[in-house]
């Protein structure tokens, strides 16, 4: 088994089982979308516009790729199982992620920072049974990429059987639009400083061709999308990090601290200082 080319020995496998204790803090950015299952314990996490979300045993969480997340663990022996969604993912041939924009109930890219809600599913007995089988493999030293890919695909079928179409739409809404392949490429190349021209070049489009397809997929212009992604990152850094406002102003290329403050007031209806005071993740 260990000599097979599918055997993975790194620290970033397709399926990962982790245990953390009370007080531990993790800051991470996944290279792809994740589904995380809380096996036991309790923790609090924040990413994007979602701050101080508490997850407990039985919760199922979606993490979009390339988005920084902060977690603090509230109980000892908090155990989580994470699955990477690295390929085109479908529940079955008649049920795919590629819904139209109008189908999505809670669009992740909406810039509404007042009392945002992240929808989590709760595992069923059948899902728990399936997860326990995966844990058995991991605890017995199995680290086979081929097996894990099959298990991830099987999990998607299981989700379709256990939950309604509406539940799945809401749960997966952070990832959904009407062209998943294009959107995943966009998310993979995105960073806080990238421009529309750079994105078009990387994806081998003309500027106009990229803008046209982007608007069809995301129902907004690339510039507006980049602005909203930037807003989400700034909101996260204000509320979930201890970076100074001067550091954030420089990091996000604002011309001055006053400009950074004006941006915060416009987008979040309050100054950076007031926002950090009113929505503070991981209070000491």
């Amino acid at each position: 088994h260990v000599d097979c080319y599918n055997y993975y020995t790194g620290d970033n496998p397709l399926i990962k089982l982790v245990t953390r204790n009370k007080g531990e803090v993790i800051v991470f950015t996944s290279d792809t979308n994740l589904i995380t299952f809380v096996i036991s314990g309790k923790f609090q996490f924040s990413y994007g516009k979602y701050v101080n979300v508490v997850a407990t045993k039985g919760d199922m969480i979606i993490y979009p790729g390339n988005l920084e997340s902060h977690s603090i663990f509230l109980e000892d022996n908090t155990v989580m199982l994470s699955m990477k969604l690295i390929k085109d993912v479908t529940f079955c041939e008649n049920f795919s992620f590629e819904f139209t924009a109008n189908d999505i109930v809670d669009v992740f890219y909406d810039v509404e920072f007042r009392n945002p809600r992240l929808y989590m599913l709760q595992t069923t007995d059948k899902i728990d049974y399936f997860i326990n089988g995966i844990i058995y493999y991991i605890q017995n030293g199995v680290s086979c990429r081929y097996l894990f890919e099959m298990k991830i695909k099987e999990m998607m079928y299981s989700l379709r059987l256990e939950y309604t179409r509406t539940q799945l739409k809401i749960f997966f809404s952070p990832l959904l639009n009407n062209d998943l392949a294009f959107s995943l490429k966009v998310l993979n190349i995105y960073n806080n400083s990238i421009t529309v021209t750079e994105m078009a070049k990387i994806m081998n489009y003309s500027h106009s061709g990229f803008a046209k397809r982007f608007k069809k997929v995301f129902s907004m212009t690339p510039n507006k999308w980049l602005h909203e992604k930037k807003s989400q990152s700034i909101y996260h850094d204000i509320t979930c990090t201890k970076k100074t406002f001067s550091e954030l102003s420089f990091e996000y290329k604002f011309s001055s601290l006053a400009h950074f403050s004006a941006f915060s007031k416009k987008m979040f209806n309050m100054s950076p200082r007031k926002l950090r005071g009113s929505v503070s993740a991981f209070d000491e």
Side-chain angles (χ1 to χ4, degrees), residues 109 111 113 190 192 194 196 214 220-234 252 254 259 263 266-268:
Y109 300 112
V111 184
F113 291 92
Y190 168 77
N192 284 330
I194 200 167
V196 175
F214 192 101
M220 65 179 73
T221 65
N223 282 321
K224 183 177 180 182
W225 185 85
L226 287 175
H227 182 74
E228 295 190 358
K229 290 287 286 183
K230 180 179 180 180
S231 299
Q232 290 180 4
S233 295
I234 290 173
Y252 286 97
F254 286 92
H259 185 197
F263 177 91
K266 179 180 179 181
M267 295 304 301
F268 318 129

Side-chain angles (χ1 to χ4, degrees), residues 5 19-21 60 111 159 163 168-169 191 197 284:
Y5 71 90
T19 301
R20 294 290 184 267
N21 291 317
M60 193 187 313
V111 184
L159 294 179
Y163 304 98
L168 293 173
K169 282 184 184 179
N191 62 65
T197 300
E284 296 180 354

Side-chain angles (χ1 to χ4, degrees), residues 183-197:
S183 64
L184 288 179
K185 290 180 182 178
V186 169
L187 290 171
N188 284 336
I189 66 172
Y190 168 77
N191 62 65
N192 284 330
S193 62
I194 200 167
T195 66
V196 175
T197 300

Side-chain angles (χ1 to χ4, degrees), residues 57-70:
K57 178 181 178 181
D59 284 336
M60 193 187 313
I61 308 158
I62 194 77
Y63 285 97
N66 296 316
L67 195 64
E68 186 176 83
S69 172
H70 286 63

Side-chain angles (χ1 to χ4, degrees), residues 191-240:
N191 62 65
N192 284 330
S193 62
I194 200 167
T195 66
V196 175
T197 300
E198 290 168 341
M199 294 174 78
K201 184 177 180 180
I202 292 171
M203 296 182 65
N204 296 316
Y205 281 86
S206 66
H207 190 284
S208 60
F210 177 75
K212 182 177 180 180
R213 184 168 184 184
F214 192 101
K215 188 172 183 180
K216 181 179 179 181
V217 171
F218 289 94
S219 300
M220 65 179 73
T221 65
N223 282 321
K224 183 177 180 182
W225 185 85
L226 287 175
H227 182 74
E228 295 190 358
K229 290 287 286 183
K230 180 179 180 180
S231 299
Q232 290 180 4
S233 295
I234 290 173
Y235 183 88
H236 176 83
D237 280 344
I238 290 174
T239 58
C240 298

Side-chain angles (χ1 to χ4, degrees), residues 79-240:
V79 181
M80 301 176 297
L81 183 79
S82 293
M83 289 185 170
K84 285 189 171 187
L85 305 180
I86 62 171
K87 293 189 172 183
D88 293 342
V89 180
T90 58
F91 299 100
C92 72
E93 62 181 7
N94 294 317
F95 191 108
S96 74
F97 274 155
E98 299 183 10
F99 305 113
T100 65
N102 291 331
D103 286 331
I104 301 173
V105 180
D106 181 22
V107 183
F108 179 73
Y109 300 112
D110 173 52
V111 184
E112 177 54 67
F113 291 92
R114 302 179 190 85
N115 300 316
R117 179 180 61 87
L118 178 67
Y119 183 79
M120 295 184 288
L121 289 173
Q122 280 68 54
T123 59
T124 64
D125 290 342
K126 292 180 181 178
I127 297 296
D128 287 337
Y129 182 81
F130 180 78
I131 291 172
N132 287 334
I134 296 174
I135 293 174
Y136 173 83
Y137 281 122
I138 294 173
Q139 291 178 337
N140 282 274
V142 177
S143 185
C144 175
R145 183 179 182 89
Y146 179 71
L147 173 66
F148 285 176
E149 285 183 354
M150 289 194 299
K151 288 298 179 182
I152 291 170
K153 186 173 182 179
E154 186 178 352
M155 173 59 77
M156 302 311 296
Y157 278 91
S158 298
L159 294 179
R160 180 65 187 100
L161 294 173
E162 290 296 293
Y163 304 98
T164 68
R165 190 181 185 94
T166 298
Q167 285 177 308
L168 293 173
K169 282 184 184 179
I170 302 174
F171 178 71
F172 284 102
S173 62
L175 315 180
L176 300 182
N177 54 54
N178 57 358
D179 189 338
L180 185 65
F182 179 84
S183 64
L184 288 179
K185 290 180 182 178
V186 169
L187 290 171
N188 284 336
I189 66 172
Y190 168 77
N191 62 65
N192 284 330
S193 62
I194 200 167
T195 66
V196 175
T197 300
E198 290 168 341
M199 294 174 78
K201 184 177 180 180
I202 292 171
M203 296 182 65
N204 296 316
Y205 281 86
S206 66
H207 190 284
S208 60
F210 177 75
K212 182 177 180 180
R213 184 168 184 184
F214 192 101
K215 188 172 183 180
K216 181 179 179 181
V217 171
F218 289 94
S219 300
M220 65 179 73
T221 65
N223 282 321
K224 183 177 180 182
W225 185 85
L226 287 175
H227 182 74
E228 295 190 358
K229 290 287 286 183
K230 180 179 180 180
S231 299
Q232 290 180 4
S233 295
I234 290 173
Y235 183 88
H236 176 83
D237 280 344
I238 290 174
T239 58
C240 298

